[in-house]
Amino acid sequence: MNPLKRLASQTAVYGVSSVLGRFLNYLLVPLFTYTFAPAQYGVVAEFYAYMGFFAVLLTFGLETGYFRFRASGEQAPQVVYATALRFMVLANLGFMLVAWFLRQPAADLLRHPQHSEYIWWCAAILALDSIGAVAFARLRAENQALRFAVIKVLEIALNVGLNLVFILGLRAAFETDPASLLGRLWDPAVGVGYVLIANLAASGLKILMLAPQFKGGLRGFDGALARRLLRYSLPMVVIGLAGIVNEMLDRAALKYLLPFDDATNMAQLGIYSACYKLSILMTLFIQAFRYAGEPFFFAHAKRADAGRTYAAVLNWFVICCVFLFLLVTLFLDVFQYFVGAAYREGLSVVPVLLFANLLLGIYVNLSIWYKLTDRTLMGAWVSLIGAAITVGVLLTLIPRYGYAGAAWAHLACYSAMVLISYVLGRRYYPVPYDLKRVFGYLALGLGLYGLSRAMVGGLAWHPLPVGASLLALFLALVFLIDGRALIRRRPI
């Protein structure tokens, strides 16, 4: 089977699960933003930003390490899996124990002294998700994309369902009649903590559904292999942490960098976080591509035509991302209704965030040079440079321009990382990327977006027919430039 078609099919299966599951999760955005005040939603965004950092720490980069050592054939796949899984279980149980004892000091430090339970619930979610990550990696390596997809969707469906029960059921009953049966089940003191409770229950269900992948997974531990795994994987933690700095530090930092009182800062954080969710389609596609792409790149590394295949992958990846960029930005007047009216003042950051995430996706493609050549430490330095740029821009722009400065920090960071990774890739793992096509499609996307702003804002044309016409024009050009060639291409 043509490797591009195989990758596309795997990406589609992972993508369906991600898109369907995250779309269900996406429905929580209007639920939260139409129900909670911006300051309350800001608390949810803040805790999930913290969890993003710990999620990277607690997986120890072992997903990539597992793929690397499984593909090498030096050890039996079962031994590699058991070694990674046992280490992950012990490390995360230790983390949960520490979190239990330090929950109140941590809550005091984060200025939420009345909600130490939030700390414990977050820790339990993180531990369960980290342990489950190894089992999901096994499913990906064994090409069990359908099982992967079903578990992911069911996990998110339970999370969404419980949020609906808590907010539309229990909370609504409490506001109508606190003495009613359902009303008594709602505790106002917990507040947005019900979002964490729903997530915790969903993570627990996921672990139960992954039970077949855990069976026999603790037998065959190899201490020497564990040390090699960690030597390879720990630089991925640095890369991941730097990536989280680039992706989520803005939401953790807004509370402290905005020049207002705590309540106003939390409201601004809520507005920015809600508008950030409007870039979800780009994020979903990149995540689906990552799931399918990482094992695909390792599996094809030894083929003579690997470079040509990787170049074609990047070209079509950019086409898909530019399409998503245009889909959201050209129809932003429709997408805006996914957030409550109190949050729509932040819509101006959406195009910037979408294009920044597009560049992140290009970086994901380019990063094969350090993964396939075992130069993960050098890859870590690229991410650290990006993190330093993020921190610098956040510190400079947020006090002056508010959350708009956070959006531009994403764009500056990912632009630099793409450039640096391309230059290093040319030296250590040259791939014949078609830069004219890549930059041409990026310029085409930005040009069509600029044209739509001129037609809608300057000429006062209706945004829907303008958006539909320009999106159709983009698709027609893609078909003329690359579509016919792909249809005629023979299997590689």
Side-chain angles (χ1 to χ4, degrees):
M1 182 180 182
N2 187 315
L4 289 180
K5 293 182 179 179
R6 185 182 302 114
L7 176 60
S9 65
Q10 291 286 312
T11 300
V13 175
Y14 290 123
V16 166
S17 67
S18 294
V19 171
L20 177 59
R22 291 292 183 89
F23 179 74
L24 293 174
N25 214 3
Y26 191 31
L27 295 179
L28 294 176
V29 176
L31 175 66
F32 294 157
T33 58
Y34 280 87
T35 303
F36 297 130
Q40 292 175 301
Y41 184 64
V43 175
V44 176
E46 179 188 6
F47 272 92
Y48 275 98
Y50 299 145
M51 289 169 67
F53 285 90
F54 279 98
V56 173
L57 283 172
L58 295 172
T59 54
F60 298 94
L62 286 177
E63 289 176 275
T64 302
Y66 168 70
F67 290 128
R68 164 66 178 81
F69 284 89
R70 178 188 171 95
S72 72
E74 299 173 21
Q75 293 276 9
Q78 177 60 27
V79 174
V80 179
Y81 177 67
T83 301
L85 180 60
R86 183 183 294 186
F87 178 85
M88 193 76 80
V89 169
L90 293 176
N92 280 276
L93 289 178
F95 169 74
M96 289 181 67
L97 185 63
V98 171
W100 173 260
F101 285 108
L102 297 181
R103 63 190 186 282
Q104 188 58 57
D108 294 339
L109 179 65
L110 298 178
R111 304 179 189 174
H112 298 287
Q114 304 303 317
H115 293 290
S116 63
E117 71 276 12
Y118 290 2
I119 305 298
W120 168 242
W121 294 338
C122 288
I125 293 168
L126 287 164
L128 292 174
D129 288 353
S130 298
I131 293 170
V134 180
F136 275 130
R138 182 179 184 178
L139 289 176
R140 291 162 60 194
E142 295 174 353
N143 294 317
Q144 296 190 51
L146 183 59
R147 180 170 174 77
F148 178 104
V150 169
I151 294 175
K152 281 286 187 182
V153 170
L154 289 177
E155 175 196 8
I156 295 174
L158 178 61
N159 184 27
V160 173
L162 287 177
N163 272 288
L164 292 173
V165 169
F166 291 150
I167 296 174
L168 297 184
L170 304 187
R171 176 178 172 169
F174 177 84
E175 292 176 346
T176 301
D177 182 7
S180 65
L181 176 62
L182 293 179
R184 288 196 299 269
L185 295 176
W186 175 267
D187 183 357
V190 175
V192 294
Y194 282 103
V195 176
L196 300 176
I197 294 174
N199 193 337
L200 179 56
S203 295
L205 174 67
K206 171 178 62 183
I207 292 297
L208 291 177
M209 290 189 292
L210 287 170
Q213 276 61 55
F214 294 123
K215 186 178 180 181
L218 298 179
R219 294 197 300 269
F221 180 84
D222 186 318
L225 176 61
R227 290 189 290 272
R228 295 179 61 201
L229 264 172
L230 289 173
R231 278 197 300 270
Y232 176 88
S233 301
L234 286 179
M236 303 301 294
V237 175
V238 177
I239 295 171
L241 282 175
I244 290 296
V245 167
N246 300 331
E247 182 180 350
M248 304 192 77
L249 182 63
D250 52 351
R251 275 149 286 174
L254 278 170
K255 173 181 176 179
Y256 304 98
L257 293 180
L258 287 170
F260 311 112
D261 59 88
D262 281 352
T264 304
N265 287 356
M266 291 303 295
Q268 292 287 291
L269 170 58
I271 292 169
Y272 175 74
S273 298
C275 291
Y276 194 100
K277 293 290 187 180
L278 290 175
S279 64
I280 193 71
L281 291 179
M282 187 77 73
T283 305
L284 290 178
F285 177 70
I286 294 171
Q287 184 62 53
F289 179 83
R290 274 176 163 166
Y291 284 142
E294 195 165 55
F296 173 87
F297 288 137
F298 279 113
H300 284 75
K302 296 180 181 180
R303 294 184 53 159
D305 60 352
R308 185 162 60 92
T309 299
Y310 297 158
V313 167
L314 177 62
N315 186 56
W316 280 100
F317 178 87
V318 170
I319 289 172
C320 293
C321 285
V322 172
F323 171 79
L324 293 175
F325 171 81
L326 291 172
L327 179 65
V328 177
T329 56
L330 297 181
F331 297 97
L332 194 56
D333 291 311
V334 175
F335 280 94
Q336 68 173 330
Y337 292 105
F338 277 95
V339 300
Y343 296 80
R344 293 173 198 160
E345 66 180 67
L347 290 174
S348 60
V349 303
V350 174
V352 180
L353 291 170
L354 280 166
F355 200 79
N357 281 325
L358 190 160
L359 294 178
L360 171 61
I362 294 177
Y363 171 74
V364 169
N365 276 267
L366 298 179
S367 66
I368 60 173
W369 67 268
Y370 69 78
K371 294 179 181 177
L372 298 180
T373 61
D374 291 351
R375 289 183 169 87
T376 53
L377 188 59
M378 291 187 68
W381 278 107
V382 177
S383 294
L384 286 172
I385 292 172
I389 293 172
T390 296
V391 172
V393 176
L394 289 175
L395 291 173
T396 303
L397 296 187
I398 287 180
R400 182 177 299 180
Y401 300 108
Y403 52 70
W408 286 100
H410 283 282
L411 187 62
C413 164
Y414 295 140
S415 298
M417 289 175 63
V418 165
L419 177 60
I420 296 169
S421 191
Y422 175 76
V423 171
L424 291 175
R426 291 281 294 175
R427 177 175 180 181
Y428 295 108
Y429 194 89
V431 173
Y433 295 118
D434 191 339
L435 296 185
K436 290 182 179 180
R437 267 183 163 77
V438 170
F439 281 108
Y441 281 121
L442 294 177
L444 176 61
L446 291 174
L448 291 176
Y449 169 67
L451 182 59
S452 74
R453 292 301 89 198
M455 296 170 73
V456 173
L459 301 177
W461 290 7
H462 195 282
L464 293 184
V466 169
S469 300
L470 294 179
L471 194 61
L473 175 60
F474 172 77
L475 292 175
L477 291 173
V478 168
F479 179 77
L480 290 174
I481 297 170
D482 279 303
R484 291 180 298 178
L486 180 68
I487 295 172
R488 293 195 302 265
R489 184 172 295 163
R490 295 179 179 179
I492 298 175

